[in-house]
Amino acid sequence: MTTPAPDRSAAPRPQPKPGLMDIHAYVGGKSKIEGIAHPVKLSSNENVLGCSEAAKEAYRTAVDRLHLYPDGKANGLRAAVAERYRLEPERLTFGDGSDEIFALLCQVYLEPGDNIVQGEHGFAAYAIGARACQAEVRMAREPGQRIDADEIAKCIDERTRLVFIANPANPTGTWLTGEEIRALHAAIPPSVVLVLDGAYAEFATDPRFEDGLDLARTAENVIVTRTFSKIHGLAALRVGWGYGPAGIIEPIERIRPPFNTSIPGQEAAIAALADLEFQAHSVDLVEQWRPFLAQQLGGLGLEVTPSAANFVLVNFPDQPGKTAREAEAFLATKGYLVRAVANYGLPDAIRITIGLEAHNRAVVELLSEFMGR
């Protein structure tokens, strides 16, 4: 029997709908350390190289049009993305970062009593969007910190509407092969939308990795999302996009806020997309230093989760003096910010963004000092 909703009309002041104040607001990676003017920020998976010079110039050029509304359909950027990835432009949607697309999907598909399924260490934005729609969030076990199709399938029932999968995953960095993604899709009922969050897809260079766009091209219940925040280094401009069938894109477009991506954001994104050299340099940096961190930190007795993203997840022993929380605090005293991930169900781990050579070597030296204390 359904519990009746409380009568908010008799309240002494306006009341939010039930459950909203139980949501834990998203908390980003730390950016400040008291007493240290310019800490090294390796806590938010930002592109340590910055962004394309062409994107900067496009941003500067847009300054004289700040009084104008942007193109609400982002047609220039739409054409650029469609050409780059060989996609049908009418099957694209654009958001204030891919986070907005997640929230819009929740608005489109979720009613009170419905549910979404995600991995137990899944990105917090999925759950926030679902709970804002008064839906249940089901966390599937991740054996070995990896998404498992069987565990996802166990959580699905007749009220499941969305399954959120980041590939590669955040905060673990683990990833699924194309074959595994197709098996996962096959285990999901056709009435359930599979959301493939590809925020870190450009950093996954193993030939077995697939970005999901081909699956979304042919399946009626798959949408792939991407962002300009990571590989392109445009995190401040908040531009994301999604590609899927008309049956998913059209309802999103009906409720998408007008003018949700700005003129500077759209034009910087177009320029960034064309700068293949900057993208290659960004990938090369990660491919050089990601295995370095894994090997060096592994040599200190720390378990590093295999990653296909621009960060590594480092697992610490549950031993006083050597815990993840203490390691994070120790690095902060030395001017290095990393990300504690206890709120993602990983209390014994920290996430470290791949930095420049000097940053990566310093992190190894500092953690060597920490572990040897």
Side-chain angles (χ1 to χ4, degrees):
M1 182 176 178
T2 304
T3 303
D7 181 7
R8 289 187 279 163
S9 64
R13 59 182 181 275
Q15 297 292 310
K17 60 187 178 183
L20 202 71
M21 297 309 293
D22 296 328
I23 297 173
H24 295 288
Y26 181 80
V27 178
K30 295 177 182 177
S31 59
K32 297 179 181 179
I33 303 174
E34 188 173 349
I36 298 178
H38 301 290
V40 177
K41 188 184 178 191
L42 304 177
S43 56
S44 296
N45 303 336
E46 294 149 334
N47 191 327
V48 72
L49 297 177
C51 72
S52 161
E53 289 298 323
K56 291 180 184 178
E57 183 56 32
Y59 181 85
R60 295 186 194 103
T61 302
V63 72
D64 291 331
R65 284 170 288 149
L66 298 186
H67 61 296
L68 301 176
Y69 285 109
D71 176 0
K73 295 288 286 183
N75 283 307
L77 180 56
R78 180 181 300 273
V81 170
E83 181 180 2
R84 168 70 181 275
Y85 295 99
R86 300 180 182 178
L87 305 174
E88 306 88 334
E90 68 276 9
R91 291 176 58 176
L92 292 167
T93 188
F94 292 86
D96 180 17
S98 49
D99 295 353
E100 183 179 42
I101 299 174
F102 305 147
L104 290 170
L105 283 163
C106 290
Q107 290 180 51
V108 167
Y109 290 103
L110 298 177
E111 297 181 288
D114 289 337
N115 68 73
I116 71 163
V117 177
Q118 65 176 75
E120 62 180 317
H121 308 307
F123 184 42
Y126 312 148
I128 291 173
R131 289 175 176 137
C133 295
Q134 297 176 289
E136 178 191 356
V137 178
R138 296 185 172 182
M139 304 287 196
R141 287 182 61 254
E142 294 186 35
Q145 299 178 346
R146 294 183 79 245
I147 290 292
D148 182 276
D150 291 337
E151 295 295 334
I152 293 287
K154 288 177 187 176
C155 295
I156 294 174
D157 67 8
E158 69 280 358
R159 296 300 300 270
T160 303
R161 300 291 177 258
L162 297 159
V163 172
F164 285 93
I165 303 294
N167 195 34
N170 175 28
T172 62
T174 54
W175 59 284
L176 301 180
T177 66
E179 182 179 358
E180 288 172 320
I181 286 291
R182 287 188 292 276
L184 174 62
H185 176 248
I188 293 174
S191 60
V192 175
V193 178
L194 174 59
V195 186
L196 296 176
D197 174 3
Y200 300 96
E202 292 90 349
F203 299 107
T205 56
D206 188 293
R208 296 171 297 166
F209 176 81
E210 297 176 17
D211 60 18
L213 291 172
D214 282 342
L215 183 60
R217 182 175 282 110
T218 56
E220 291 295 322
N221 65 333
V222 176
I223 180 172
V224 173
T225 64
R226 298 287 275 272
T227 180
F228 281 88
S229 296
K230 306 302 181 183
I231 186 76
H232 300 292
L234 299 180
L237 296 184
R238 314 305 306 128
V239 182
W241 58 273
Y243 170 75
I248 293 177
I249 297 300
E250 287 178 4
I252 291 175
E253 286 295 288
R254 288 176 181 268
I255 66 168
R256 178 179 57 80
F259 315 119
N260 61 332
T261 56
S262 68
I263 291 176
Q266 291 178 23
E267 298 193 359
I270 292 170
L273 197 63
D275 193 342
L276 301 182
E277 183 178 354
F278 177 82
Q279 295 162 48
H281 190 189
S282 299
V283 173
D284 289 346
L285 176 82
V286 170
E287 288 201 314
Q288 178 180 1
W289 294 105
R290 186 172 59 199
F292 169 84
L293 282 174
Q295 188 227 16
Q296 295 292 314
L297 297 178
L300 300 178
L302 297 169
E303 180 186 349
V304 181
T305 302
S307 172
N310 67 336
F311 58 84
V312 292
L313 185 75
V314 186
N315 302 276
F316 287 78
D318 184 13
Q319 177 184 342
K322 294 189 174 12
T323 65
R325 183 175 181 180
E326 290 166 303
E328 180 202 17
F330 175 80
L331 289 170
T333 66
K334 305 297 183 179
Y336 280 75
L337 286 166
V338 297
R339 182 69 183 265
V341 287
N343 59 322
Y344 285 97
L346 295 162
D348 299 324
I350 59 174
R351 192 190 67 194
I352 305 174
T353 306
I354 308 300
L356 300 175
E357 176 178 0
H359 304 151
N360 301 323
R361 292 190 183 279
V363 164
V364 170
E365 291 174 7
L366 291 170
L367 286 178
S368 177
E369 179 184 345
F370 171 77
M371 294 300 292
R373 290 187 306 176

